[in-house]
Amino acid sequence: MPDREPPAWLWLKQRLSRLRPSTTPARAPGAAPAVVRTAVVTDSAAALPADWVKAFVDDGRLAVVPMPVMVGEEIFGEGEDDITTTLALALASGSAVKTSRPSPGQFEQAYLAAAARGFESVVSIHISAELSGTVEAATLAAGRVPIPVEVLDSRTVGMAQGMGVQSALLAAADGRTAEEVRAFAEERLRRTKVYFYVPSLEQLRRGGRIGAAASLLGTMLAIKPILAVDGGRIVPLEKVRSAAKAVARLEEIVAADVAARPLGEARLAVHHFGNLAEAEGLAGRLAARCPGTPKAQLSALPAVLGAHAGLGVLAVIVGESSTPGAALPGQ
């Protein structure tokens, strides 16, 4: 069972400790490190940063189950295949693109691997059940393994889900029980918001993520929608007449959200798909509008989300920092 801190954990710990002071007493100098008893499992919709995921996976604390994407007749696994260019070309040409949930067997393998490494329990955090059957697959697998598995519906997507996973890893590294790890992740997930702009609603309509009427309205009236994830579902937030105005309004909404949170608590992530330069510009403007907030993490949407959002999407996730020593709810 791992009881050391991998390089990725140290990076995350150092980054987040600058944002939120610990609310519980620090361990005495020379005290033994916490024993990590709980592993964390998630899916690739969490959009976790590639520069530190590998260390957690190698250490056994984290498993990221790939979500399949079908382009034409070919099936790709997120993280297993380089599908970004293939998917972008398919979207640009209007080719058929579909996604699916991972199989229960994939989750069963991840849970059994955690048990084999000596972990006593697993917390499994997944894309909203309103958008995917992934939670159902994980729940089926949880009943087949010899260690207890807490399956958590994040009720969100992208790095909003990823922030919940990060919080779970932080709590687990502090030696918390599976129930406490889940509670801490849930508390952080409740504080995350997803706001995004898409040039066209067509891909979301094709994937069944929004109704046909909403898609038709956007097409006929050239509406540029600002959407959000609320209660696990994609919901319309505002309708704007031009792309430039939509992005400007997105910035205003995010800045207002950050301003309403405790000073220095907000964390931002910006997702894009096929429009990196636009995302870099958005991240830069948000940095200017949200002083005291760390630089936004910038990353492409995972293919399983890009397949539904389409090319040109800009998404901003607003969450809050957490540290290993932060008090859990009820403490």
Short mmCIF file of all heavy atoms in Angstrom, two decimals, residues 26 49 60 87 92 129 169 185 220 227 236 250-251 256 260 266 274 278 317 327:
data_model
loop_
_atom_site.label_atom_id
_atom_site.label_comp_id
_atom_site.label_asym_id
_atom_site.label_seq_id
_atom_site.Cartn_x
_atom_site.Cartn_y
_atom_site.Cartn_z
N ALA A 26 -1.27 21.11 12.07
CA ALA A 26 -0.28 20.39 11.27
C ALA A 26 0.29 19.23 12.08
O ALA A 26 0.30 19.25 13.31
CB ALA A 26 0.84 21.34 10.85
N PRO A 49 -5.22 16.99 -15.58
CA PRO A 49 -3.98 17.40 -16.24
C PRO A 49 -3.03 16.22 -16.47
O PRO A 49 -2.72 15.47 -15.55
CB PRO A 49 -3.37 18.39 -15.25
CG PRO A 49 -4.49 18.84 -14.39
CD PRO A 49 -5.43 17.67 -14.30
N GLY A 60 -0.58 3.99 -8.00
CA GLY A 60 -1.74 3.17 -7.65
C GLY A 60 -2.85 3.91 -6.97
O GLY A 60 -3.92 3.34 -6.73
N LEU A 87 -10.79 13.20 -34.42
CA LEU A 87 -12.11 13.70 -34.02
C LEU A 87 -12.36 15.08 -34.61
O LEU A 87 -13.47 15.36 -35.10
CB LEU A 87 -12.20 13.74 -32.50
CG LEU A 87 -13.50 14.30 -31.92
CD1 LEU A 87 -14.71 13.51 -32.40
CD2 LEU A 87 -13.44 14.32 -30.40
N ALA A 92 -15.38 18.53 -38.29
CA ALA A 92 -15.35 19.56 -39.33
C ALA A 92 -16.05 19.09 -40.61
O ALA A 92 -16.65 19.89 -41.33
CB ALA A 92 -13.90 19.94 -39.64
N ALA A 129 -24.58 11.42 -14.16
CA ALA A 129 -25.46 10.35 -14.62
C ALA A 129 -26.54 10.86 -15.55
O ALA A 129 -27.17 10.08 -16.27
CB ALA A 129 -26.10 9.64 -13.42
N LEU A 169 -8.28 12.86 -3.85
CA LEU A 169 -6.89 12.44 -3.70
C LEU A 169 -6.22 13.12 -2.51
O LEU A 169 -5.44 12.51 -1.76
CB LEU A 169 -6.11 12.74 -4.98
CG LEU A 169 -6.39 11.83 -6.17
CD1 LEU A 169 -5.85 12.45 -7.45
CD2 LEU A 169 -5.78 10.45 -5.94
N ALA A 185 -14.98 15.23 -1.28
CA ALA A 185 -15.14 15.43 -2.72
C ALA A 185 -16.52 16.01 -3.04
O ALA A 185 -16.64 16.93 -3.87
CB ALA A 185 -14.94 14.11 -3.47
N MET A 220 -31.83 29.00 -36.38
CA MET A 220 -32.65 29.91 -37.17
C MET A 220 -32.41 31.38 -36.82
O MET A 220 -32.44 32.24 -37.68
CB MET A 220 -34.13 29.58 -36.98
CG MET A 220 -34.53 28.24 -37.58
SD MET A 220 -36.29 27.93 -37.43
CE MET A 220 -36.96 29.23 -38.46
N LEU A 227 -24.15 28.35 -22.02
CA LEU A 227 -24.77 27.23 -21.33
C LEU A 227 -24.09 27.00 -19.99
O LEU A 227 -23.02 27.54 -19.72
CB LEU A 227 -24.68 25.96 -22.19
CG LEU A 227 -25.22 26.08 -23.63
CD1 LEU A 227 -24.83 24.86 -24.44
CD2 LEU A 227 -26.72 26.25 -23.62
N PRO A 236 -29.59 26.06 -20.68
CA PRO A 236 -29.29 27.37 -21.25
C PRO A 236 -29.19 28.42 -20.16
O PRO A 236 -29.99 28.44 -19.22
CB PRO A 236 -30.49 27.63 -22.17
CG PRO A 236 -31.59 26.81 -21.59
CD PRO A 236 -30.95 25.60 -20.99
N LEU A 250 -19.55 35.66 -21.32
CA LEU A 250 -19.00 34.53 -20.56
C LEU A 250 -17.97 35.03 -19.56
O LEU A 250 -17.97 34.61 -18.38
CB LEU A 250 -18.38 33.53 -21.52
CG LEU A 250 -17.71 32.29 -20.91
CD1 LEU A 250 -18.72 31.44 -20.15
CD2 LEU A 250 -17.04 31.46 -22.00
N GLU A 251 -17.11 35.93 -19.99
CA GLU A 251 -16.12 36.50 -19.08
C GLU A 251 -16.79 37.22 -17.92
O GLU A 251 -16.35 37.10 -16.76
CB GLU A 251 -15.23 37.49 -19.84
CG GLU A 251 -14.33 36.87 -20.88
CD GLU A 251 -13.60 37.94 -21.68
OE1 GLU A 251 -13.39 39.04 -21.14
OE2 GLU A 251 -13.27 37.69 -22.85
N ALA A 256 -18.01 37.54 -12.17
CA ALA A 256 -18.99 37.76 -11.10
C ALA A 256 -19.00 36.57 -10.14
O ALA A 256 -19.13 36.75 -8.92
CB ALA A 256 -20.37 37.98 -11.70
N ALA A 260 -17.86 36.62 -6.05
CA ALA A 260 -18.81 36.24 -5.00
C ALA A 260 -18.23 35.21 -4.03
O ALA A 260 -18.84 34.91 -3.00
CB ALA A 260 -20.09 35.69 -5.63
N ALA A 266 -10.97 31.06 -5.29
CA ALA A 266 -11.40 30.55 -6.60
C ALA A 266 -10.24 29.92 -7.36
O ALA A 266 -9.10 30.38 -7.32
CB ALA A 266 -12.02 31.67 -7.41
N GLY A 274 -10.06 22.69 -30.57
CA GLY A 274 -9.78 23.21 -31.90
C GLY A 274 -9.61 24.70 -31.97
O GLY A 274 -9.57 25.27 -33.06
N GLU A 278 -7.95 31.15 -29.03
CA GLU A 278 -9.09 31.80 -28.38
C GLU A 278 -9.10 31.53 -26.89
O GLU A 278 -9.37 32.42 -26.07
CB GLU A 278 -10.40 31.30 -29.00
CG GLU A 278 -10.73 31.86 -30.36
CD GLU A 278 -12.11 31.39 -30.80
OE1 GLU A 278 -12.22 30.25 -31.29
OE2 GLU A 278 -13.07 32.16 -30.63
N ILE A 317 -14.43 26.58 -15.97
CA ILE A 317 -14.84 25.93 -14.72
C ILE A 317 -14.35 26.79 -13.57
O ILE A 317 -13.20 27.22 -13.53
CB ILE A 317 -14.23 24.51 -14.61
CG1 ILE A 317 -14.92 23.55 -15.57
CG2 ILE A 317 -14.40 23.97 -13.20
CD1 ILE A 317 -14.45 23.61 -16.98
N ALA A 327 -10.45 21.03 6.89
CA ALA A 327 -11.45 20.28 7.67
C ALA A 327 -12.53 19.73 6.77
O ALA A 327 -12.95 20.37 5.82
CB ALA A 327 -12.07 21.19 8.74
#
